[in-house]
């Protein structure tokens, strides 16, 4: 019989650096000693990542949820109802709220949701709206593509599904733009009572801790285990919408990213991460190699529950520079700015912006004060060139003499999820004349001037002069 090796449990974990989990249980470890196994390398059975005693778990979760259901005052959180018409309306409300809640806090969303429902109380009202009205209500929430997808989705539901969002997650995901597995699960479980799971960021974190799962957070196997855990919670239950809302609520208010309230958590007695924290390990290492978990990586030292879930490895941000031209005309005691409407599809669809050149190359950034003239020429035709007074010649004869000053103002950096964007701000002040210069498109429409646009993107067609006071509300 081999000599038994004993190791004392160190609550702060091993001092050595992170190691890869051994492929098999080391033979020199007494697997009956749970503390030993965790301290050395945490080999464990894959069954550690399966929910146990789900019924009991659900009872404790729902009892807790009843005490907090209305605390955050969410207007879309209503009791489940089995009337067909009311379910259709609930589905619309849940859909709107879930899309608004993507990457936005509950407290921020509530007033937006209220204003939205006042303007578009039903999906039919939304389907009749235009993108300007939708964008106006969305202003401040960001990610405007979400708003335009809601409009497209509403039109489709009215035309193709008789104004009722489908009650099947697969159809919802396939047919309704912007609806993924999570939103489809939320609509179908909360509004229609379908036993389908939801896993958003909050539930992902919560279940990663409950299941003591330490593996790449976006890996297919990780997501499969988490979705399976969420599915077990709702399977066969009469009110799956409440279970899903309770999981989301618990994840966001108790099982927080930092400093979770484990002592008062209703699930603490069945939580794997908490068990490791307290030393009461729920999972036993398997002596059967077939059962050994091959998904988890080595957990960082220590015993804090916040070691779970594993952090996502950071992907390198793309670096881009956009040139933003603040083109201003000064005259008659007024200041007017050029705004350009973005295309009706794609990023920030239909919104107005200052004329910009996106993702300029490094060569172009070196030629900062030349580039704005390309934009000016695109807008007005070749009436401007560096440091010169030029006449705006039209078929009507010489109209105005304009002077143009171009100044580099500075850079503004914004970090998106995958892009580090630098906005290089250029001020272009046009003076002269009794009115601002005409856009080349206006001249075309009058049939009095040849097209001056450069290439195919003649932004003059989408541009307008806007008084300074109206710039922030342009539509
Ligand atoms: S016990 Fe702690 S870690 Fe576990 S689910 Fe509750 S709050 Fe999260
Ligand atoms: Zn594991």
């Amino acid at each position: 019989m081999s000599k038994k090796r004993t190791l004392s449990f160190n609550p702060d974990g091993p001092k050595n650096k992170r190691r890869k989990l051994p492929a098999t249980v080391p033979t020199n470890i007494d697997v009956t000693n749970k503390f030993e196994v965790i301290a050395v390398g945490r080999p464990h059975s894959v069954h550690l990542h399966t929910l146990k005693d789900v019924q009991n778990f659900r009872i404790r979760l729902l009892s807790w949820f009843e005490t907090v259901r209305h605390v955050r005052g969410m207007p879309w959180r209503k009791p489940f109802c089995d009337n067909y018409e009311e379910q259709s309306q609930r589905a619309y409300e849940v859909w709107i709220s879930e899309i608004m809640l993507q990457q936005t806090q509950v407290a921020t969303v509530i007033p937006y949701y209220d204003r939205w429902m006042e303007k578009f109380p039903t999906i039919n009202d939304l389907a009749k709206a235009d993108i300007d009205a939708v964008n106006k209500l969305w202003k401040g929430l960001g990610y405007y593509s979400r708003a335009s997808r809601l409009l497209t989705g509403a039109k489709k539901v009215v035309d193709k599904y008789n104004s009722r969002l489908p009650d099947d997650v697969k159809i919802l995901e396939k047919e309704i733009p912007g609806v993924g597995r999570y939103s489809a699960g939320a609509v179908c479980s909360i509004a229609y009572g379908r036993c389908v799971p939801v896993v958003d960021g909050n539930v992902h974190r919560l279940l990663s801790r409950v299941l003591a799962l330490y593996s790449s957070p976006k890996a297919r196997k990780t997501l499969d285990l988490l979705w399976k855990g969420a599915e077990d919670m709702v399977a066969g239950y009469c009110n799956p919408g409440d279970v899903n809302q309770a999981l989301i609520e618990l994840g966001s208010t108790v099982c927080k990213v930092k400093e979770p309230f484990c002592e008062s958590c209703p699930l603490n007695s069945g939580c794997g991460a908490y068990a490791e924290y307290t030393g009461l390990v729920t999972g036993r290492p398997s002596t059967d190699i077939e059962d050994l978990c091959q998904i988890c990586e080595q957990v960082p030292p220590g015993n804090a529950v916040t070691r779970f879930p594993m952090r996502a490895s950071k992907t390198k941000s793309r670096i881009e520079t956009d040139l933003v031209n603040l083109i201003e005309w000064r005259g008659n005691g007024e200041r007017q700015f050029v705004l350009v409407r973005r295309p009706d599809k794609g990023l920030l669809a239909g919104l107005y912006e200052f004329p910009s050149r996106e993702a300029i190359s490094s060569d172009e950034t070196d030629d900062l004060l030349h580039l704005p003239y390309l934009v000016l020429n695109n807008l007005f035709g070749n009436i401007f060139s560096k440091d010169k007074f030029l006449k705006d010649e039209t078929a009507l004869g010489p109209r105005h003499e304009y002077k143009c000053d171009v100044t580099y103002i500075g850079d503004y950096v914004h970090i998106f999820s995958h892009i580090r964007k630098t906005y290089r701000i250029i001020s272009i002040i046009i003076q002269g004349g009794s009115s601002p210069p005409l856009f080349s498109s206006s001249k075309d429409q009058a049939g009095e001037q040849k097209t001056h646009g450069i290439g195919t993107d003649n932004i003059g067609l989408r541009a307008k002069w806007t008084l300074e006071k109206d710039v922030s509300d342009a539509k």
Side-chain angles (χ1 to χ4, degrees):
M1 202 172 141
S2 64
K3 195 178 167 214
K4 188 174 167 182
R5 188 179 157 204
T6 55
L7 296 171
S8 60
F9 176 58
N10 175 2
D12 295 324
K15 294 273 187 276
N16 51 328
K17 289 206 178 126
R18 185 187 291 189
R19 290 173 298 170
K20 195 87 178 153
L21 181 71
T24 57
V25 180
T27 52
N28 61 342
I29 293 171
D30 177 3
V31 293
T32 61
N33 184 329
K34 56 198 175 193
F35 295 156
E36 259 188 12
V37 172
I38 285 171
V40 169
R42 200 176 171 267
H44 53 271
S45 161
V46 73
H47 300 301
L48 180 66
H49 309 313
T50 307
L51 285 180
K52 322 282 182 313
D53 197 5
V54 173
Q55 204 179 343
N56 191 353
F57 225 52
R58 199 161 48 211
I59 290 169
R60 282 185 276 137
L61 175 71
L62 291 175
S63 306
W64 168 83
F65 185 55
E66 277 315 306
T67 66
V68 298
R69 183 190 280 272
H70 301 296
V71 168
R72 292 202 283 168
M74 301 177 202
W76 54 85
R77 188 172 275 175
K78 298 175 183 171
F80 178 67
C81 150
D82 55 12
N83 172 283
Y84 184 89
E85 298 299 329
E86 283 188 40
Q87 282 189 347
S88 308
Q89 177 61 19
R90 292 284 330 269
Y92 170 62
E93 294 170 9
V94 173
W95 176 46
I96 299 298
S97 65
E98 289 299 342
I99 302 300
M100 284 185 170
L101 284 164
Q102 287 169 8
Q103 302 176 17
T104 312
Q105 303 280 328
V106 167
T108 307
V109 164
I110 290 174
Y112 280 91
Y113 176 86
D114 287 339
R115 285 194 291 270
W116 184 282
M117 284 301 160
E118 209 171 294
K119 179 95 177 161
F120 310 125
T122 68
I123 200 164
N124 290 313
D125 298 311
L126 175 58
K128 282 184 241 156
D130 62 35
I131 186 70
D132 289 340
V134 169
N135 279 339
K136 194 175 175 200
L137 278 182
W138 201 267
K139 190 180 166 193
L141 273 177
Y143 300 96
Y144 281 83
S145 56
R146 292 184 290 165
S148 70
R149 286 197 199 118
L150 281 174
L151 179 57
T152 314
K155 288 180 194 292
K156 190 166 192 181
V157 171
V158 170
D159 290 346
K160 193 170 171 186
Y161 294 101
N162 199 20
S163 303
R164 177 178 160 98
L165 279 157
D167 58 11
D168 180 300
V169 283
K170 292 270 183 276
I171 298 175
L172 270 177
E173 268 190 83
K174 185 164 169 245
E175 294 284 310
I176 310 301
V179 171
R181 190 176 178 186
Y182 165 77
S183 313
V187 169
C188 288
S189 63
I190 298 170
Y192 298 130
R194 300 278 180 269
C195 290
V196 286
V198 296
V199 177
D200 69 346
N202 292 309
V203 178
H204 186 295
R205 178 176 60 256
L206 171 79
L207 289 180
S208 296
R209 289 173 179 170
V210 166
L211 299 174
L213 183 62
Y214 192 81
S215 56
S216 178
K218 290 184 184 160
R220 185 74 265 154
K221 286 181 177 172
T222 305
L223 295 174
D224 285 349
L225 279 170
L226 297 176
W227 278 96
K228 175 69 173 58
E231 197 178 318
D232 289 346
M233 287 296 287
V234 291
Y237 187 64
C238 59
N239 192 346
D242 268 14
V243 174
N244 284 337
Q245 290 178 91
L247 285 171
I248 296 165
E249 187 75 19
L250 189 68
S252 61
T253 61
V254 175
C255 194
K256 293 151 80 84
V257 178
K258 293 177 185 166
E259 301 178 11
F261 303 117
C262 294
E263 310 298 327
S264 53
C265 173
L267 304 187
N268 60 13
S269 63
C271 174
Y274 191 62
E276 290 196 17
Y277 171 73
T278 55
L280 298 168
V281 180
T282 52
R284 282 303 185 98
S286 170
T287 49
D288 184 348
I289 285 173
E290 293 290 311
D291 281 348
L292 194 69
C293 173
Q294 304 284 351
I295 303 169
C296 287
E297 296 194 27
Q298 173 72 43
V299 184
N303 60 353
V305 298
T306 48
R307 292 172 304 161
F308 302 91
M310 184 180 173
R311 305 280 179 272
S313 56
K314 285 204 172 146
T315 48
K316 215 175 164 203
S317 297
R318 204 165 77 225
I319 295 177
E320 279 183 5
T321 302
D322 287 6
L323 192 72
V324 180
N325 302 282
L326 309 183
I327 304 176
E328 176 184 353
W329 174 76
R330 290 183 184 174
N332 303 336
E334 283 179 350
R335 299 177 70 187
Q336 296 192 39
F337 289 84
V338 177
L339 293 181
V340 176
R341 185 183 163 97
R342 293 182 64 91
D344 283 340
K345 288 192 176 157
L347 189 68
L348 307 173
L351 296 180
Y352 279 92
E353 63 178 5
F354 294 113
S356 304
R357 280 175 71 92
E358 292 183 9
I360 55 178
S361 68
S362 53
D363 291 349
E364 289 178 307
T365 52
D366 294 340
D367 200 7
L368 254 190
L369 298 184
H370 169 67
L371 279 178
Y373 287 94
L374 296 179
V375 177
L376 285 171
N377 289 340
N378 192 316
L379 281 165
F380 304 111
N382 295 305
I383 65 168
F384 294 105
S385 70
K386 206 169 176 181
D387 303 325
K388 282 186 184 163
F389 290 83
L390 286 176
K391 286 184 187 295
D392 177 8
E393 303 281 353
T394 73
L396 297 173
R399 284 167 57 88
H400 306 300
E401 194 170 70
Y402 295 105
K403 180 181 185 290
C404 169
D405 291 311
V406 178
T407 318
Y408 165 60
I409 301 284
D411 287 356
Y412 171 78
V413 177
H414 186 80
I415 313 281
F416 294 93
S417 51
H418 292 98
I419 307 175
R420 187 180 196 279
K421 181 84 96 176
T422 300
Y423 294 98
R424 191 142 289 174
I425 318 291
I426 304 290
S427 161
I428 301 171
I429 299 176
I430 300 170
Q431 296 187 76
S434 57
S435 59
L438 289 175
F439 297 114
S440 53
S441 59
S442 312
K443 299 166 192 169
D444 298 341
Q445 282 160 10
E448 294 162 343
Q449 181 85 16
K450 285 185 194 165
T451 301
H452 292 291
I454 292 174
T456 53
D457 182 24
N458 184 354
I459 57 175
L461 292 166
R462 298 181 273 115
K464 66 175 183 178
W465 285 102
T466 307
L467 287 170
E468 183 188 13
K469 68 178 174 56
D470 299 325
V471 166
S472 64
D473 280 325
K475 62 179 176 36

